[in-house]
Amino acid sequence: MKDSVCGIGKCTGCMACTAKCTKAAITIEDALDSYTAKIDGSKCIRCGGCERVCQMNRPVEFRDALFWKQGWAAMESIRKNSSSGGAAAALSQQFIEDGGIVYGCVFRNGSFEFECADTKEEVLKFAGSKYVKSNPQMVYREIQGKLENGASVLFLGLPCQVAGLLLFVPDRWKEKLYTIDLICHGTPSPRLLDKYLREHGVDLSGIGDIRFRKKDDFRLCVNGYAPVTSPGRLDRYLHSFLQCISFTESCYSCRYARTERISDITLGDSWGSELPEEECRKGISLIIVSTEKGREIIKRTDMMLFEVDKRKAVGANPQLVAPASKKEIRRTFFEVIKKGRKFDWAVFDCYPKLCLRQDLKYILMKLHVLHGNME
């Protein structure tokens, strides 16, 4: 029998197979640079359930977009609290107002997992970009149960997580299932994040919240907006993320990095928007609608919507046409990490000039030679 569901290092981490297996025969092996869905032969009953829900073994349906828009939540407080234009929160709150329930990613007790929201206030816990792998394993069966009982469910997640859910839920229950995927650049293992934070004196399980960005300000902050490292410079965790060297292996061959989408709605940042600079600073969402179900939600939601130049939108979101390129320097990064050396040194070994430039910027700002945001 096979010793893995989809091959060594090929797992996307959607966790659909672990949720499907009733014998707890599957574990996700996290090698830092890759995931593998390992099968315990002593527990496996060879039912084939894991393979049937694995997106690496099954085809998924892609659709051309009905239309592209850009805009933001009409309610200013929603937009202000969001990484981008607040489209996800506005759509979620409208879905709940219409009688449905919403599932999204939250940070809780040191983990990035998924929870249900059935009030408009609860939707706020989903706010904020999360540049790390999250785990929807515990909600697959819960969502199916809600659908079987007649509830309308909206799921917000990464494209691979949406694919896992669509393969997990039988077709007869999908009429009331609505999906929103978030444009994904790739995701690192949560063990990498934990390593980075511990090396800077932060226990991931002991903090109340974590933020990876505030609008276009990329900074890893905990417990409010307290930077993990010296303010005024880009931290090494986000440095590695933005350079696309910290993702797990499957991200570099992502099948969802294309303009055709699998969800009802796709959301991201409308980088490079031609709208006024003041609005860009507040955050603008890119909105791609691919189904009539998606169109229905958009029509009912109070948002300010504008036309968008598709060519510019794709140019500013390259993961809409191709996955991140796997750089040769990525091997060096993980070799250093796996030798037990510090995260900061692993990034420095890969990008010494960029790191020195950031360090110099911080020193000049501290000496008040260079002016900038030191918060």
Side-chain angles (χ1 to χ4, degrees), residues 103-116 125-126 130 132-139 155-156 161:
Y103 283 83
C105 183
V106 300
F107 174 71
R108 189 86 69 204
N109 300 321
S111 298
F112 296 87
E113 300 179 347
F114 282 70
E115 290 184 0
C116 170
K125 66 185 177 182
F126 302 144
K130 300 169 181 70
V132 65
K133 283 197 186 303
S134 52
N135 186 352
Q137 176 183 348
M138 301 306 295
V139 299
F155 178 82
L156 294 91
Q161 294 168 340

Coordinates of all heavy atoms in Angstrom, one line a residue, residues 103-116 125-126 130 132-139 155-156 161:
Y103 N -17.4 30.7 8.1 CA -16.2 30.1 8.6 C -15.0 30.8 8.0 O -14.9 31.0 6.8 CB -16.1 28.6 8.3 CG -17.1 27.7 9.1 CD1 -18.4 27.6 8.8 CD2 -16.6 27.1 10.2 CE1 -19.3 26.8 9.5 CE2 -17.4 26.3 11.0 CZ -18.8 26.2 10.6 OH -19.6 25.4 11.4
G104 N -14.1 31.1 8.9 CA -12.8 31.8 8.5 C -11.7 31.5 9.5 O -11.9 30.8 10.5
C105 N -10.5 31.9 9.1 CA -9.3 31.6 9.9 C -9.1 32.6 11.1 O -9.3 33.8 10.9 CB -8.1 31.7 9.0 SG -6.5 31.3 9.8
V106 N -8.8 32.1 12.2 CA -8.5 32.9 13.4 C -7.2 32.5 14.0 O -6.7 31.3 13.8 CB -9.6 32.8 14.5 CG1 -11.0 33.2 13.9 CG2 -9.7 31.3 15.0
F107 N -6.6 33.3 14.8 CA -5.4 33.0 15.6 C -5.9 32.7 17.1 O -6.5 33.6 17.7 CB -4.4 34.1 15.6 CG -3.2 33.8 16.5 CD1 -2.3 32.9 16.3 CD2 -3.1 34.6 17.7 CE1 -1.2 32.6 17.1 CE2 -2.0 34.4 18.6 CZ -1.1 33.4 18.3
R108 N -5.7 31.5 17.6 CA -6.3 31.2 18.9 C -5.3 30.2 19.6 O -4.9 29.2 19.0 CB -7.6 30.5 18.7 CG -8.4 30.3 20.1 CD -9.1 31.5 20.4 NE -10.3 31.7 19.5 CZ -10.8 32.9 19.3 NH1 -10.4 34.0 19.9 NH2 -11.9 33.0 18.5
N109 N -4.9 30.6 20.8 CA -4.0 29.7 21.6 C -2.7 29.2 20.8 O -2.4 28.1 20.9 CB -4.8 28.5 22.1 CG -6.0 28.9 23.0 OD1 -5.9 29.9 23.7 ND2 -7.1 28.2 22.8
G110 N -2.2 30.2 20.1 CA -0.9 29.8 19.4 C -1.1 29.1 18.0 O -0.1 28.8 17.4
S111 N -2.3 28.9 17.6 CA -2.6 28.2 16.3 C -3.4 29.0 15.4 O -4.2 29.9 15.8 CB -3.3 26.9 16.6 OG -2.5 26.0 17.4
F112 N -3.3 28.8 14.1 CA -4.1 29.4 13.1 C -5.1 28.3 12.6 O -4.7 27.5 11.8 CB -3.2 29.9 11.9 CG -2.2 31.0 12.4 CD1 -1.0 30.6 12.9 CD2 -2.6 32.3 12.3 CE1 -0.1 31.6 13.3 CE2 -1.7 33.3 12.7 CZ -0.4 33.0 13.2
E113 N -6.3 28.4 13.1 CA -7.3 27.4 12.8 C -8.6 28.1 12.3 O -8.6 29.4 12.1 CB -7.6 26.6 14.0 CG -6.3 25.8 14.5 CD -6.6 25.0 15.8 OE1 -7.6 25.2 16.4 OE2 -5.7 24.2 16.1
F114 N -9.6 27.4 12.1 CA -10.9 27.9 11.5 C -12.0 27.8 12.6 O -12.1 26.8 13.3 CB -11.2 27.2 10.2 CG -10.4 27.7 9.1 CD1 -9.1 27.3 8.9 CD2 -11.0 28.4 8.1 CE1 -8.3 27.8 7.9 CE2 -10.3 28.9 7.0 CZ -8.9 28.6 6.9
E115 N -12.8 28.8 12.6 CA -14.0 28.9 13.5 C -15.2 29.4 12.7 O -15.1 29.9 11.7 CB -13.7 29.8 14.7 CG -12.7 29.2 15.7 CD -12.5 30.1 16.9 OE1 -13.2 31.2 17.0 OE2 -11.7 29.8 17.8
C116 N -16.3 29.2 13.4 CA -17.6 29.7 12.9 C -18.0 31.0 13.4 O -17.6 31.3 14.6 CB -18.7 28.6 13.2 SG -20.4 29.2 12.9
K125 N -13.3 38.8 14.1 CA -12.1 37.9 14.5 C -11.4 37.3 13.3 O -10.2 36.8 13.5 CB -12.6 36.8 15.4 CG -13.5 35.8 14.8 CD -14.1 34.8 15.8 CE -15.0 33.8 15.1 NZ -15.6 32.8 16.1
F126 N -11.9 37.4 12.1 CA -11.3 36.9 11.0 C -10.3 37.9 10.3 O -9.6 37.6 9.4 CB -12.3 36.5 9.9 CG -13.2 35.4 10.4 CD1 -14.6 35.4 9.9 CD2 -12.8 34.4 11.2 CE1 -15.5 34.4 10.3 CE2 -13.7 33.4 11.6 CZ -15.0 33.4 11.2
K130 N -2.8 36.6 7.1 CA -2.1 35.7 7.9 C -1.1 35.0 6.9 O -1.4 34.1 6.1 CB -3.0 34.7 8.5 CG -4.0 35.4 9.5 CD -5.1 34.5 9.9 CE -6.1 35.2 10.8 NZ -6.9 36.2 10.1
V132 N 1.1 32.6 6.9 CA 1.5 31.3 7.5 C 0.5 30.3 7.2 O -0.7 30.6 6.9 CB 1.8 31.4 9.0 CG1 0.5 31.7 9.7 CG2 2.5 30.2 9.6
K133 N 0.8 29.0 7.1 CA -0.2 28.0 6.9 C -1.2 27.9 8.0 O -0.8 27.9 9.2 CB 0.5 26.6 6.7 CG 1.1 26.4 5.3 CD 1.3 25.0 5.0 CE 2.1 24.8 3.7 NZ 1.5 25.5 2.6
S134 N -2.5 27.8 7.7 CA -3.5 27.6 8.7 C -4.1 26.2 8.6 O -3.9 25.5 7.6 CB -4.6 28.6 8.6 OG -5.1 28.7 7.2
N135 N -4.9 25.8 9.5 CA -5.4 24.4 9.6 C -6.9 24.3 9.7 O -7.5 24.6 10.8 CB -4.8 23.7 10.8 CG -5.1 22.2 10.8 OD1 -5.9 21.7 10.0 ND2 -4.5 21.5 11.7
P136 N -7.6 23.9 8.6 CA -9.1 23.8 8.6 C -9.6 22.4 9.0 O -10.8 22.2 8.9 CB -9.5 24.2 7.2 CG -8.3 23.7 6.4 CD -7.1 23.8 7.2
Q137 N -8.7 21.5 9.4 CA -9.1 20.2 9.6 C -10.4 20.0 10.5 O -11.3 19.2 10.1 CB -8.0 19.4 10.3 CG -8.3 17.9 10.6 CD -7.2 17.2 11.4 OE1 -6.1 17.7 11.4 NE2 -7.5 16.0 11.9
M138 N -10.5 20.7 11.5 CA -11.6 20.5 12.5 C -13.0 21.0 12.0 O -14.0 20.7 12.6 CB -11.3 21.1 13.8 CG -10.0 20.7 14.5 SD -9.9 18.8 14.7 CE -11.2 18.6 15.8
V139 N -13.0 21.7 10.9 CA -14.3 22.3 10.5 C -14.9 21.6 9.3 O -16.1 21.9 8.9 CB -14.2 23.8 10.2 CG1 -13.8 24.5 11.5 CG2 -13.3 24.2 9.1
F155 N -17.6 29.9 3.3 CA -16.2 29.5 3.8 C -15.2 30.5 3.1 O -15.2 30.6 1.9 CB -15.9 28.1 3.4 CG -14.5 27.6 3.8 CD1 -14.3 27.2 5.1 CD2 -13.5 27.7 2.8 CE1 -13.0 26.8 5.4 CE2 -12.2 27.2 3.2 CZ -12.0 26.8 4.5
L156 N -14.4 31.1 4.0 CA -13.3 31.9 3.5 C -12.0 31.3 3.8 O -11.7 30.9 4.9 CB -13.3 33.3 4.2 CG -14.5 34.2 3.9 CD1 -15.5 34.0 5.0 CD2 -14.0 35.7 4.0
Q161 N -7.5 25.3 0.3 CA -8.4 24.9 1.4 C -9.8 24.9 0.9 O -10.6 24.0 1.2 CB -8.3 26.0 2.5 CG -6.9 25.9 3.2 CD -6.7 27.1 4.1 OE1 -7.3 28.1 4.0 NE2 -5.7 26.9 5.1

